[in-house]
Amino acid sequence: MNLFRAEMRRLTKRRVIRFFVFGTLALLAAIVVGMFATHQPSTPSVRAAAQAEADRDYRLAVESLAEEMRACETARGTAQAANYPPDCDPGYRPSKADYQAEYYMPPTFVFREQFGLMIVTLAALLAVMAYLVGASYVGAEWSSGAMMNLLLWRPQRLRVLSTKLGALTAGLTALTVLVSAAWTGLFALVADLRGTMDAMTSGAWQSFVLMEVRGLVLVLVAGAVGFGLASIGRHTAMALGTAIGAIIVFQFGLGTLLSLAQVHFVEAYLVPVWATAWMDKSITVTDWQPCDSVINPGCQAGTLTLTWPMAGGVLAALVILVVGVAMWTMRSRDVT
């Protein structure tokens, strides 16, 4: 039997992987339903209701101010006068400009403005799922002894491991492409029914497609890293422990330590910033360390722009390092 086809079957038949996939799809579906339920189109009836609510609040504010001023006038010359401003001047009077219908309108899903955030949400959730899938896929092979049995009739170690990684990559690619297409279609439907698709030019569509491609790359990187770490430790717990350690030590601990050491551009050392730079094409990190409001009130904070090619280099280096070590250990260590 073809090794790649066999690995694809193992990948799709494993129950824990199905659990991760279906759980992620359920969460994504809940997000779509939530966005649909909490947004409304800007129809004339909705605008009229918002205007009526704005006018009602304006009248209530005017009546409340008038009542407050009458109470102030009544309190003149009494001990209660200290509770009111001098000359009964409130200092602020309600204005129609403060009660516009736009302030009372329910949220409307504007596809061009809001779908980018939805792509980032999709990429983040799929990346977490891919990390868990990649780790459990090869980790279970090691812990159950299936890897040793497989190598009895397929003794080419690197070929076996690389085929497993190829099957994982192919599966994640197919899943991400299908889910991304469905995600785009569903939110286009949400915008059509609960918002607007206005201003969606060919350039805007191209930008969203490229963003989804970068999301696909992020998913593949997460899956490969989870796969590599679990293969190095020969157990799923290795990848999960590394992830927990990275969050606790490198995000919270390292961030706090660098801040105490007054290191410049602390955020540039944290993983979420690089992931954001990759998905949003760039991010500007601000360094407030040189500025002290007492010592140097006129200081201008320094800025550092991280671009998507820089973030891509970091992601590539991470994959090469982890997968390279996994391949090296597969070749050099005994399979026991």
Side-chain angles (χ1 to χ4, degrees):
M1 181 182 295
N2 182 273
L3 180 59
F4 180 80
R5 189 161 57 246
E7 291 303 328
M8 287 297 297
R9 180 175 298 179
R10 285 192 182 93
L11 179 66
T12 56
K13 295 295 184 180
R14 196 172 293 279
R15 282 178 294 180
V16 68
I17 292 178
R18 290 183 175 183
F19 172 79
F20 289 144
V21 172
F22 291 147
T24 303
L25 293 179
L27 180 57
L28 293 174
I31 292 174
V32 174
V33 172
M35 294 296 289
F36 182 86
T38 56
H39 289 73
Q40 294 186 25
S42 181
T43 60
S45 60
V46 172
R47 178 170 287 275
Q51 185 63 60
E53 186 176 0
D55 292 341
R56 182 171 61 252
D57 284 358
Y58 173 69
R59 289 194 302 271
L60 290 175
V62 171
E63 292 171 1
S64 177
L65 178 62
E67 182 179 350
E68 186 75 10
M69 293 182 68
R70 285 194 298 270
C72 179
E73 292 292 343
T74 304
R76 283 181 180 273
T78 68
Q80 298 296 323
N83 297 328
Y84 298 94
D87 302 326
C88 295
D89 184 9
Y92 166 77
R93 287 177 171 79
S95 170
K96 287 285 289 184
D98 298 330
Y99 296 87
Q100 299 182 21
E102 287 76 10
Y103 303 155
Y104 293 82
M105 293 283 289
T108 297
F109 189 81
V110 182
F111 192 87
R112 179 162 185 168
E113 296 178 2
Q114 296 173 264
F115 186 59
L117 179 59
M118 295 298 101
I119 295 177
V120 173
T121 302
L122 173 67
L125 292 177
L126 289 181
V128 173
M129 179 211 69
Y131 186 91
L132 296 175
V133 167
S136 63
Y137 172 49
V138 72
E141 294 284 296
W142 282 111
S143 59
S144 66
M147 183 70 79
M148 287 76 81
N149 293 332
L150 177 59
L151 290 174
L152 289 176
W153 63 279
R154 287 281 186 160
Q156 302 95 341
R157 295 185 177 192
L158 295 185
R159 183 182 177 186
V160 168
L161 191 62
S162 59
T163 301
K164 288 182 179 292
L165 180 58
L168 174 67
T169 301
L172 290 176
T173 300
L175 177 64
T176 303
V177 170
L178 291 176
V179 173
S180 297
W183 191 253
T184 303
L186 288 172
F187 274 104
L189 182 62
V190 170
D192 187 55
L193 299 177
R194 297 284 184 164
T196 177
M197 291 286 293
D198 292 345
M200 281 304 299
T201 62
S202 59
W205 280 113
Q206 182 180 9
S207 178
F208 285 146
V209 170
L210 291 176
M211 195 173 186
E212 289 180 338
V213 171
R214 293 196 298 274
L216 169 61
V217 173
L218 188 64
V219 171
L220 296 181
V221 167
V225 171
F227 179 94
L229 291 174
S231 182
I232 293 170
R234 299 191 174 182
H235 202 285
T236 304
M238 171 65 176
L240 300 182
T242 302
I244 295 173
I247 294 173
I248 297 176
V249 176
F250 288 101
Q251 297 309 296
F252 297 102
L254 181 62
T256 302
L257 180 62
L258 293 177
S259 297
L260 294 175
Q262 297 187 343
V263 174
H264 299 294
F265 303 108
V266 172
E267 293 179 346
Y269 294 88
L270 307 181
V271 173
V273 173
W274 289 98
T276 303
W278 173 252
M279 291 300 301
D280 293 341
K281 295 195 293 187
S282 68
I283 186 173
T284 300
V285 179
T286 304
D287 178 28
W288 297 101
Q289 291 292 346
C291 297
D292 190 303
S293 58
V294 177
I295 300 175
N296 192 4
C299 171
Q300 293 292 328
T303 59
L304 173 65
T305 300
L306 306 178
T307 62
W308 71 267
M310 297 167 61
V314 172
L315 295 177
L318 179 62
V319 171
I320 292 172
L321 175 63
V322 173
V323 175
V325 172
M327 293 294 178
W328 179 79
T329 56
M330 181 68 169
R331 183 177 181 179
S332 59
R333 287 172 57 186
D334 292 334
V335 178
T336 57

